[in-house]
Amino acid sequence: LAPWIPVVGLEIHAQISSNSKLFSGSQVQFAAPPNSLVSFFDASLPGTLPVLNRRCVEAAVMTGLALNCSINKKSLFDRKHYFYADLPAGYQITQQRVPIAVNGSLSYSLCIDNKMSQMVTKTVRIKQIQLEQDSGKSLHDDTRCQTLVDLNRAGVGLMEVVMEPDMCCGEEAAAAVRELQLILQTLGSSQAVMAEGQLRVDANISVHHPGEPYGVRTEVKNINSIRFLAKAVDYEIQRQIEELENGGTILNETRAFDSKLGCTVPMRDKEGKQDYRFMPEPNLPPLILYDAKSLPANMNHQQVINIDWIHERLPDLPSVKREKLVEQYGILPEHSFTLLNEDGLAEFFESVVKQTQMKPKKVIGWILNDLLSYLKQHSLTVKESPVSSFLLADLLNLLEKKEISSTAAKQVLAELWKGEGKTPLEIVKEQKLELLQDQKKLEQICQAVIDGHENEVIMMVLG
Amino acid sequence: AALKDGVRSQVSAALKEGRVTPTELCQRCLALIKSTKFLNAYITVAEETALKQAEESEERYKRGQPLGILDGIPIAVKDNFNTAGIETTCASNMLKGYISPYNATVVQKLLNHGAVLLGKTNLDEFAMGSGSTDGVFGPVRNPWSYSKQYKEKSVPKPHSEGQESDWVITGGSSGGSAAAVSSFTCFAALGSDTGGSTRNPAAHCGVVGLKPTYGLISRHGLIPLVNSMDVPGILTRCVDDAAVLLGSLAGHDPKDSTTIQDDFEPFELPNLTDVSKLSIGIPKEYHAPGLSSEILALWSKAADLFKNAGAKVVEVSLPHTRYSIVCYHVLCTAEVASNMARFDGLEYGHRSDMKDSTESMYAATRREGFNDVVRGRILSGNYFLLKQNYEKYFVKAQKVRRLIANDFVKVFRSGVDILLTPTTLSDAAPYTEFIQEDNRTRSAQDDILTQAANMAGLPAINVPTALSERGLPVGLQFIGRSFQEKQLLTVAKWFEKQVQFPVIQLEDVKRHDSDVFQHQKSASFS
C-alpha cells in the first residue's frame, strides 16, 4: 500500500481584546444578558454607518508583526453577502481583496516522544491576517420551532489568521494553535480562550500519495478545544484514508466535529458552494498605515497608526521568553515550554528562585513535578495555588540548608497544600522532621536503638 | 413676512424684529399643507412636535438669543432620512410604521440650529425613480399643474376629464421635497441625490436644487441607495437660502467615514458683478438625444448671457458621458442589492406572517415589502456581483466610472471654472404620459444629464431659468469643482438674478392662504 501524506491547514478566528466592537461603540463582553450590547449599527438599522475602531487595527498590526508578516500599508474592506439570522445586515464586513497582513510564519515545537525529552521545531507559513466582524449567535429551539437570536457578539472584531497547509497531523495542528494562543495572550491582542469562543479553529484536511497532486479537502468546524482539535484532525485524516482505500471519494464538504462520538459528521446547513457576491465596502475608505519613513510631518497623531512605533513596543514573545529562561536559569528547553504553557507558572518559578538559595536547576524539579502535578490533580490554576511562591521558597531554603531531608520536604509540602496557614518551619517542628546534624546526638540515638534491640543485634553479629 | 419670502433676505430679519413669530410661520405652513393635500407631497406631518419646536424658537427670539438664521424656519425632510420619534418609511411597505430611534446627522444639525421640522416628504420607493410616482403612498403632483401659468397654456379639455388627468409629475426621486418648497409649505427641504434626484425635481418644480460635493455633508442617517454616490440634497426657493442650509449642514462627521476631515467655513454669497474672469464650459455631449428644442434654445441663450457679460464661454468635451447610464446601472443595482440585504423582517420593519422556515419568511417579507422596482434592481445587482460576472460588470463599471470622473478633471484643469448644462431633457410630463414607460426606462432617460456629477462626486446645482411653452418650469444646471461650492453658488446666484424666474401663481392656494401673496411682486431681491 502506497503511503498517504496528510495535509492540514487552519483558519483561526481570534476575537480581538478591545473595549468596543470593530465598527461600532457598543461594548465587548462575554456572557452579558442577550441583546444588551447592541448598537444601532450592530442591529443593522437603516442609515447607520461603520466607523473603524483604532484599537482593533493596532491589535492586528501587533499580531502581524509577531507572526513575521508584512503589514500592508494599504488594506481594503469588503462585504461578504449571505442571509442568516445572526447576520443582521445580510453581509459581513471583512478583508477579502487586500488584508492587513500577509506572508508570515509561526514556529512551534513538538516532543518527538511522549516524555518531553526531545523537542523539534517546526514552522507553518501564515498566509494572511484579516480584520472582520463576528456574527451574532443563534439558538435553535426545536420544541417551539423557533430560533432565538442574540446580537451581543455581532460586530465584535475578529482577526482571521490563515495557516497554510504545512501541518501533517493533529499534534502539529494543536501545537501550532497552542503557540498562537500564547503569542496572542502575550501581546494582549486577544485573550484567546477557546472555551469562551475567543479562539475558534476550522481545519482544512486532505490526503494524497507522494508525488501526486493534493486530494480533495474537507473543512472541519465546531472544534471547541485544542485537545479536540488534535482528535478531530486525526480522525478526519483516518476517515479520508479509509474512504479512499475502500475505493470511495472525498466530497469537498464542511463537516462538524462531534466531541461525544469523537468523529466528524457532515454539516447539514451548508448546501453546495455559496457565492458570497463580494463587493468593496463603500462606507470605509482604504485603511492607510504609516511607518517612521512615510509618516507625514503635520499629521494628527490621533488619526494615524505608526507600524514602527508598535514594533518598538512589542513585548517579548514566548519563544524569546523561553530562550531567556533557559539562558538565565540553566533549565532545559522542555522545561521552558512547560513553564510558559501554564498561565503564571513562569512568574511563580522566577519568584521562588529570587527568594531561595537553591539553584534554579533544582527548583525547577519542585515546580514542574510537585507543584504542577498537585495543581493539575486538583484542577487549580497557578493563581489559585494554596502554596505561594514565598512558602515554597521558604521550604526549599530549609532543604538547601540541610535542615530537613528531601523526603521530609515532600511531607511538609503535602501538609502545606492543606492551606491551613502554617509555615514550613512550624510543620517541621510539629512533625519532628528536623535533620539531625550533631554527630554525638546521632551516635546516642543509634546506641539507644542498638541497646533497645539486643536480640536483633546478636542475630546480626552472628550473621 | 410672506411664505414665499427668502429666508436669508427677509424672513430671518422679520423673525428677529418680531414682525412675525415662529409659531405664526409654523401654523401658516401647516394650514397650507392641509389645503394642498392633493399634491401628496407629505407622507407624515409632525404637527405637534413642529408647533412645540416653534414655541421653543419663539422663546429664544423673545430672549434675544436665536440660534442663527434658521431658528424658527419651517423645513421639510425627505422620508429617507431618519427622524427620531417620527415615522421614516422610504415610501415603502418594508418600513411602514418604522419609528427610527435616532436622527440623521443633517436632521440633528437643522434641529440644533432651531429649524422647525414640519414633516417627511414623499418620494419614489427607496429613492428609486425619476418621477416620484413609484412610492406606496402614491405619486406626488407638481404644484405647477395648478398654476395660472400652466392652466393658461393648456388646451382646455372636455369637461368630463377635468383637470385631474392633466397634472404633471414633479420629477424624482425627491419630488415631495421639491413640491413642498415650490408650493410654499416650507422654506427649505432636504432631498437626496444619487443620479439627479434633487436636481431633477428641482428643475421640474421651479426651485433651486443643490447637490453638494460627495464627502462634504454627512450621510449618517440617510437610508442609502448607492453609498458611493448618495449625497443629502438641498431644495430652496433661492440660491442664497441654499448657501444658508449648506452652511448649517456641511462639515466632518465622525459617524460618517466618507466625510472629509477638513474644516468647513460657512459663507455668505457675494453679489457678483464682474464675470469677466469666469470661464464657463459647455459640454457638447450634453446635447443629448431627446433634448427638447426649447431647452436647447434656453441653454444657448444662457451661454450668450455669460458671453455678453464678459465671461469666457468655451465648448468642452466629456467624451465618456454616453457610457454613464450603463455604468450607473451596474454600480447602482450592485450597491442596492447589497444595501437591501438587511431588510429581512427580523430586527425591524415589515415581517411576513409566513412561518414555515426562516428562508421562506425572508422571501415572503421581501416580496411583500418591496415594490417591483426595488426587487428588479436587487436581482440585477446580485447578478452583476456573482463571482463569474464580477470582473465583467462591476470592475469594468468601476473603471468606466474612473474615466467619467477623469473627463471632468481634465476639463477643469484646462482652465474652465464652471460647466453649464441643461438639467432635464424636457419640462415635466403629464402623469398619464410618464407612466406609459417603466421606471427603469424613465430613469435611464431622465438621469443622463445629472448622473455624471454623482459618478465624479462633483457639486452641481439646478437654477430655475424660465417657463416652457406649456407654462412649466425649466432649469439649467451648473457643475463645479470638488468642494468649490462657494464659487458654484456665487455664479448660480448671479445667473438667478439675471433670469428673474417668475413666482408660481397658485390660484386655488391663494384662496386658502391670503398671506402667501401679501407682496405680489416679482422674485427679484433688493
Side-chain angles (χ1 to χ4, degrees):
Chain A
L1 278 165
W4 288 102
I5 301 182
V7 171
V8 180
L10 299 174
E11 277 165 30
I12 299 158
H13 290 91
Q15 239 182 38
I16 297 174
S17 174
S18 60
N19 290 329
S20 52
K21 298 185 180 179
L22 183 55
F23 295 118
S24 74
S26 41
Q27 222 193 323
V28 177
Q29 197 189 307
F30 182 67
N35 293 312
S36 60
L37 305 170
V38 184
S39 68
F40 297 152
F41 173 77
D42 302 332
S44 80
L45 294 197
T48 53
L49 299 169
V51 180
L52 184 55
N53 179 335
R54 186 207 172 94
R55 158 67 188 164
C56 292
V57 178
E58 289 172 347
V61 171
M62 272 197 287
T63 306
L65 291 170
L67 294 176
N68 307 306
C69 296
S70 308
I71 306 295
N72 281 328
K73 293 224 190 74
K74 177 174 167 184
S75 61
L76 306 171
F77 290 101
D78 305 288
R79 292 184 182 180
K80 177 180 181 182
H81 301 86
Y82 60 95
F83 284 98
Y84 206 73
D86 61 19
L87 197 66
Y91 59 83
Q92 175 202 38
I93 301 179
T94 177
Q95 293 189 299
Q96 187 244 3
R97 287 169 292 156
V98 185
I100 192 167
V102 291
N103 297 337
S105 65
L106 168 69
S107 292
Y108 61 96
S109 292
L110 287 178
C111 319
I112 290 197
D113 55 35
N114 275 330
K115 283 174 255 171
M116 284 215 71
S117 55
Q118 252 197 307
M119 304 212 77
V120 63
T121 303
K122 300 232 169 186
T123 308
V124 58
R125 290 167 298 158
I126 304 292
K127 177 164 188 241
Q128 64 187 53
I129 300 175
Q130 66 202 51
L131 282 167
E132 57 184 37
Q133 293 174 304
D134 207 344
S135 64
K137 280 205 191 128
S138 45
L139 302 151
H140 300 289
D141 180 4
D142 289 321
T143 34
R144 289 190 199 80
C145 288
Q146 60 184 10
T147 300
L148 306 167
V149 182
D150 176 11
L151 295 179
N152 282 348
R153 203 184 64 181
V156 171
L158 293 177
M159 293 177 286
E160 180 176 325
V161 179
V162 182
M163 290 187 182
E164 299 276 26
D166 296 340
M167 295 160 282
C168 71
C169 59
E171 196 188 1
E172 287 191 359
V177 171
R178 180 64 187 128
E179 188 66 7
L180 176 66
Q181 199 178 34
L182 286 173
I183 291 174
L184 293 171
Q185 288 166 350
T186 303
L187 293 172
S189 57
S190 170
Q191 286 164 51
V193 175
M194 275 182 95
E196 288 183 10
Q198 293 162 337
L199 194 71
R200 283 167 248 155
V201 182
D202 299 333
N204 293 311
I205 299 152
S206 73
V207 297
H208 65 277
H209 289 304
E212 284 180 15
Y214 281 17
V216 174
R217 69 162 194 235
T218 61
E219 187 190 16
V220 179
K221 295 173 98 81
N222 197 39
I223 301 166
N224 298 326
S225 73
I226 294 188
R227 228 186 46 178
F228 286 151
L229 170 63
K231 277 200 168 142
V233 168
D234 289 335
Y235 173 87
E236 181 62 16
I237 290 171
Q238 222 23 64
R239 184 193 76 86
Q240 289 194 11
I241 290 175
E242 276 169 25
E243 183 71 33
L244 291 169
E245 283 183 346
N246 288 332
T249 52
I250 304 301
L251 293 171
N252 176 213
E253 60 176 353
T254 303
R255 299 174 72 87
F257 180 65
D258 185 323
S259 50
K260 288 204 192 92
L261 300 173
C263 64
T264 64
V265 293
M267 274 178 95
R268 270 166 294 116
D269 54 2
K270 299 263 175 175
E271 294 167 29
K273 277 223 188 114
Q274 283 237 36
D275 190 327
Y276 293 111
R277 290 161 281 126
F278 286 98
M279 186 186 89
E281 168 54 69
N283 293 315
L284 292 169
L287 174 59
I288 309 290
L289 304 175
Y290 298 90
D291 56 24
K293 246 190 270 172
S294 66
L295 189 65
N298 53 351
M299 269 280 199
N300 178 1
H301 279 269
Q302 298 278 49
Q303 290 295 320
V304 301
I305 287 184
N306 182 342
I307 301 168
D308 288 337
W309 192 90
I310 295 178
H311 206 155
E312 284 158 20
R313 283 157 186 76
L314 285 180
D316 277 348
L317 294 182
S319 51
V320 172
K321 274 194 203 167
R322 286 184 204 116
E323 271 173 33
K324 283 189 177 171
L325 285 170
V326 169
E327 211 189 285
Q328 197 175 345
Y329 301 110
I331 57 177
L332 294 175
E334 306 86 270
H335 296 160
S336 70
F337 268 90
T338 316
L339 280 181
L340 251 55
N341 228 16
E342 201 59 42
D343 193 26
L345 193 60
E347 290 78 13
F348 192 98
F349 165 71
E350 289 190 283
S351 176
V352 171
V353 165
K354 268 203 202 94
Q355 299 174 81
T356 178
Q357 298 102 325
M358 182 183 283
K359 290 226 158 54
K361 277 191 196 175
K362 279 178 83 178
V363 173
I364 193 74
W366 287 92
I367 298 287
L368 297 183
N369 300 331
D370 299 86
L371 178 81
L372 191 57
S373 58
Y374 179 85
L375 291 175
K376 290 289 177 206
Q377 259 176 47
H378 294 81
S379 298
L380 295 170
T381 62
V382 172
K383 284 196 185 76
E384 294 165 339
S385 170
V387 178
S388 66
S389 60
F390 172 76
L391 282 179
L392 183 58
D394 210 14
L395 175 61
L396 296 182
N397 280 338
L398 289 177
L399 183 56
E400 193 65 8
K401 284 186 275 189
K402 294 193 169 51
E403 286 180 32
I404 53 174
S405 68
S406 71
T407 325
K410 289 204 199 278
Q411 226 175 298
V412 173
L413 189 54
E415 191 65 28
L416 282 174
W417 288 128
K418 294 185 189 159
E420 285 166 0
K422 299 185 203 150
T423 66
L425 197 56
E426 283 166 359
I427 298 171
V428 164
K429 288 220 162 76
E430 255 178 42
Q431 298 190 12
K432 296 206 176 60
L433 295 168
E434 305 92 322
L435 260 183
L436 270 176
Q437 306 274 30
D438 191 329
Q439 185 76 9
K440 265 208 176 128
K441 276 224 168 126
L442 280 169
E443 275 182 20
Q444 277 177 359
I445 291 172
C446 291
Q447 193 59 53
V449 171
I450 292 171
D451 291 344
H453 296 86
E454 270 188 32
N455 291 334
E456 288 83 346
V457 169
I458 290 170
M459 304 245 352
M460 289 221 67
V461 165
L462 288 176
Chain B
L3 289 185
K4 69 167 181 55
D5 288 344
V7 174
R8 193 160 169 291
S9 56
Q10 287 141 310
V11 184
S12 179
L15 282 168
K16 268 204 214 127
E17 290 159 24
R19 285 183 275 126
V20 72
T21 66
T23 316
E24 276 169 18
L25 278 182
C26 182
Q27 282 165 343
R28 277 155 62 182
C29 286
L30 289 171
L32 194 54
I33 291 174
K34 284 200 182 90
S35 60
T36 54
K37 215 158 172 211
F38 54 89
L39 294 177
N40 204 18
Y42 288 80
I43 293 175
T44 303
V45 180
E47 185 161 336
E48 252 180 66
T49 52
L51 285 168
K52 185 154 176 281
Q53 285 161 10
E55 270 170 43
E56 286 164 8
S57 172
E58 200 155 311
E59 283 303 307
R60 290 190 292 268
Y61 275 106
K62 279 199 189 125
R63 290 199 307 267
Q65 292 172 337
L67 294 166
I69 297 185
L70 287 177
D71 203 335
I73 301 293
I75 51 128
V77 169
K78 186 175 181 181
D79 208 15
N80 59 354
F81 286 92
N82 277 276
T83 44
I86 299 173
E87 200 174 335
T88 300
T89 68
C90 293
S92 174
N93 276 323
M94 191 59 90
L95 289 177
K96 247 191 194 164
Y98 174 70
I99 310 278
S100 171
Y102 74 102
N103 279 324
T105 296
V106 289
V107 171
Q108 190 58 53
K109 284 189 168 187
L110 289 175
L111 294 175
N112 290 345
H113 279 89
V116 172
L117 176 52
L118 292 172
K120 310 298 287 300
T121 58
N122 205 350
L123 60 155
D124 284 301
E125 180 161 339
F126 279 109
M128 299 185 205
S130 58
S132 303
T133 53
D134 283 327
V136 290
F137 299 104
V140 185
R141 299 187 183 198
N142 192 328
W144 284 84
S145 314
Y146 305 95
S147 70
K148 190 170 168 200
Q149 291 105 324
Y150 177 63
K151 286 190 208 167
E152 274 171 359
K153 297 292 179 71
S154 53
V155 177
K157 288 245 166 64
H159 188 71
S160 54
E161 281 185 44
Q163 279 177 350
E164 283 308 296
S165 55
D166 252 358
W167 59 271
V168 299
I169 58 164
T170 52
S173 61
S174 312
S177 282
V181 172
S182 171
S183 59
F184 308 106
T185 59
C186 62
F187 286 88
L190 289 185
S192 65
D193 196 310
T194 308
S197 289
T198 288
R199 293 160 285 156
N200 174 296
H204 286 316
C205 294
V207 298
V208 171
L210 171 62
K211 175 211 168 293
T213 311
Y214 183 88
L216 183 61
I217 298 186
S218 172
R219 289 181 298 111
H220 167 76
L222 166 60
I223 297 173
L225 174 59
V226 184
N227 286 290
S228 65
M229 298 185 206
D230 291 350
V231 291
I234 293 168
L235 295 134
T236 56
R237 288 192 288 275
C238 63
V239 177
D240 265 336
D241 288 351
V244 171
L245 264 285
L246 182 68
S248 68
L249 296 177
H252 176 63
D253 183 5
K255 295 187 187 140
D256 179 352
S257 306
T258 61
T259 53
I260 53 162
Q261 308 270 351
D262 303 8
D263 290 328
F264 174 80
E265 283 300 321
F267 50 79
E268 263 183 41
L269 295 175
N271 272 313
L272 192 64
T273 44
D274 176 20
V275 296
S276 60
K277 294 197 180 64
L278 262 184
S279 172
I280 307 286
I282 310 288
K284 63 182 187 194
E285 290 84 3
Y286 279 61
H287 184 163
L291 185 65
S292 78
S293 47
E294 248 188 331
I295 297 193
L296 181 60
L298 211 58
W299 185 19
S300 190
K301 210 166 151 192
D304 289 340
L305 194 67
F306 278 99
K307 211 185 302 176
N308 296 337
K312 184 170 168 216
V313 179
V314 290
E315 188 190 74
V316 295
S317 175
L318 300 169
H320 296 91
T321 304
R322 63 198 170 112
Y323 302 119
S324 63
I325 292 283
V326 218
C327 178
Y328 178 75
H329 178 71
V330 172
L331 296 178
C332 172
T333 54
E335 290 214 30
V336 164
S338 179
N339 290 332
M340 297 296 145
R342 65 188 59 214
F343 295 105
D344 53 17
L346 284 183
E347 302 85 10
Y348 48 80
H350 174 67
R351 185 196 285 207
S352 169
D353 290 329
M354 167 67 70
K355 281 186 175 58
D356 293 350
S357 69
T358 314
E359 274 77 23
S360 63
M361 190 274 278
Y362 286 158
T365 295
R366 290 161 72 80
R367 187 184 60 246
E368 291 162 16
F370 292 138
N371 71 4
D372 284 352
V373 180
V374 178
R375 299 211 311 274
R377 293 200 193 187
I378 292 172
L379 287 170
S380 303
N382 278 324
Y383 175 78
F384 296 134
L385 289 176
L386 287 177
K387 203 166 174 185
Q388 72 254 33
N389 293 332
Y390 184 73
E391 287 284 324
K392 259 196 297 185
Y393 293 100
F394 189 87
V395 177
K396 242 333 164 28
Q398 295 270 53
K399 292 179 179 175
V400 173
R401 182 176 179 180
R402 170 68 61 199
L403 292 176
I404 293 170
N406 282 345
D407 280 355
F408 287 98
V409 171
K410 284 192 199 123
V411 162
F412 284 127
R413 220 173 260 167
S414 73
V416 168
D417 299 306
I418 304 272
L419 297 170
L420 169 62
T421 80
T423 312
T424 55
L425 293 174
S426 65
D427 56 5
Y431 175 72
T432 48
E433 191 188 299
F434 183 78
I435 56 173
Q436 300 285 334
E437 298 275 16
D438 66 46
N439 183 298
R440 173 152 137 61
T441 309
R442 287 297 183 204
S443 297
Q445 291 164 347
D446 299 334
D447 287 348
I448 184 71
L449 301 169
T450 45
Q451 207 209 73
N454 297 87
M455 290 282 186
L458 295 172
I461 185 169
N462 172 76
V463 181
T465 308
L467 294 183
S468 68
E469 274 180 24
R470 286 162 68 217
L472 294 171
V474 169
L476 290 177
Q477 170 177 242
F478 295 91
I479 304 174
R481 296 163 194 248
S482 269
F483 301 107
Q484 301 304 312
E485 270 79 355
K486 187 171 180 185
Q487 181 181 54
L488 177 69
L489 290 170
T490 302
V491 173
K493 180 174 168 175
W494 180 88
F495 183 72
E496 174 187 64
K497 193 168 177 184
Q498 306 305 310
V499 300
Q500 310 250 317
F501 182 79
V503 179
I504 184 176
Q505 289 165 41
L506 285 169
E507 295 189 318
D508 291 339
V509 170
K510 200 169 163 192
R511 265 186 259 125
H512 286 100
D513 184 305
S514 53
D515 296 316
V516 174
F517 296 98
Q518 244 178 24
H519 318 285
Q520 190 64 350
K521 287 184 204 142
S522 67
S524 65
F525 300 105
S526 43

